[in-house]
Amino acid sequence: MLVGGDSQQQVLRRLLEHKTGMTVDELVDSIGLSRSAINQHLLVLEREGHIEQVTARKTKGRPGRVYVLTEKGTNTFPKKYSWFSRVLIQALERSVGSEGLAKYMFDLGVDMSAVAIPRLVGKNRAERVDEIVKIMNETGFSAYTVPGKKNEKLPRIECKNCVYHDLSKEFTAVCRFDIGFLSGLMGVEVEHETCMQKGEDACRFRFKAPS
């Protein structure tokens, strides 16, 4: 949430509409606030990383500072990722069927695991599980390890938050992405022991012993 409220949002919206940036004078003329007020908002927005200065250009006879939106600033505006993802998954399911969708999501998870595998190099299996938990938390999960049953060497991974909650509620095959991702990282089969979409209080994953 922006501390400056509507006024800061107006500055960001004007910069969103002008991709090449705007000067202080242009923002003053466009929004109708005083120069000092605009400068104060720009100072805060720049400090927070929502905007940045680029090469100055002349305005009203003197060089003026030009401000543009950063990626962080652009991301303050609403996005419809869930809606778009739902459209894509619906189209894919119509094309390959429910079983095909589940296989696709699993294979996609395995493919994506390749990006994180370098972080596991040199670690033993237990240390890999700990690193996987860190990776999951970096992507929005609330993940942690829980002890395995007697005689099991590896802990389980438990998650209290699902980053695909809305999608997996409609398309259970989405959960296969996590199974594929974890399987790819550990090189073993993964069992999805409990699932929040089935009424459980957490999603729990168990790494099966290598055959």
Side-chain angles (χ1 to χ4, degrees):
M1 180 178 293
L2 298 175
V3 177
D6 292 343
S7 295
Q8 288 187 11
Q9 191 66 43
Q10 286 183 64
V11 172
L12 293 177
R13 186 166 295 280
R14 294 299 189 280
L15 294 179
L16 180 70
E17 295 168 353
H18 296 79
K19 302 298 184 185
T20 59
M22 298 180 72
T23 64
V24 174
D25 289 332
E26 289 169 342
L27 286 166
V28 168
D29 293 341
S30 176
I31 298 174
L33 295 175
S34 68
R35 187 179 181 83
S36 61
I38 291 294
N39 275 321
Q40 183 62 35
H41 289 317
L42 291 172
L43 181 66
V44 173
L45 292 170
E46 186 174 20
R47 185 174 65 237
E48 294 178 349
H50 292 106
I51 65 175
E52 63 183 2
Q53 294 185 46
V54 295
T55 305
R57 65 171 179 260
K58 287 187 176 182
T59 174
K60 295 184 178 179
R62 63 179 183 274
R65 291 169 294 171
V66 178
Y67 293 88
V68 297
L69 277 184
T70 61
E71 183 176 354
K72 182 178 180 181
T74 301
N75 286 335
T76 62
F77 293 91
K79 306 293 189 299
K80 294 295 183 180
Y81 296 126
S82 293
W83 171 83
F84 187 62
S85 297
R86 183 174 290 106
V87 170
L88 290 177
I89 292 175
Q90 285 175 335
L92 183 59
E93 186 175 45
R94 285 196 298 269
S95 177
V96 301
S98 297
E99 291 185 6
L101 176 61
K103 182 180 184 304
Y104 179 88
M105 297 305 298
F106 178 87
D107 291 343
L108 182 61
V110 173
D111 290 343
M112 292 302 297
S113 70
V115 178
I117 283 179
R119 293 178 56 170
L120 308 182
V121 174
K123 292 180 169 60
N124 62 40
R125 287 169 56 77
E127 291 171 338
R128 287 189 175 196
V129 175
D130 289 335
E131 188 65 25
I132 289 170
V133 166
K134 292 180 182 178
I135 293 170
M136 295 179 74
N137 285 329
E138 288 168 8
T139 59
F141 286 92
S142 178
Y144 49 91
T145 58
V146 294
K149 294 181 179 179
K150 187 177 180 180
N151 298 325
E152 287 186 342
K153 296 182 179 179
L154 291 179
R156 289 160 165 73
I157 291 180
E158 192 164 285
C159 300
K160 289 290 189 179
N161 174 55
C162 175
V163 296
Y164 328 108
H165 180 75
D166 291 339
L167 285 174
S168 61
K169 187 162 53 177
E170 186 173 351
F171 305 98
T172 56
V174 170
C175 296
R176 296 294 295 168
F177 177 88
D178 291 335
I179 304 301
F181 185 73
L182 295 175
S183 297
L185 290 175
M186 289 295 287
V188 297
E189 187 178 351
V190 175
E191 178 185 356
H192 196 173
E193 286 190 314
T194 63
C195 179
M196 287 183 283
Q197 294 297 1
K198 296 180 180 179
E200 306 286 351
D201 63 350
C203 284
R204 187 178 301 114
F205 305 95
R206 180 175 75 89
F207 299 102
K208 296 186 177 181
S211 55

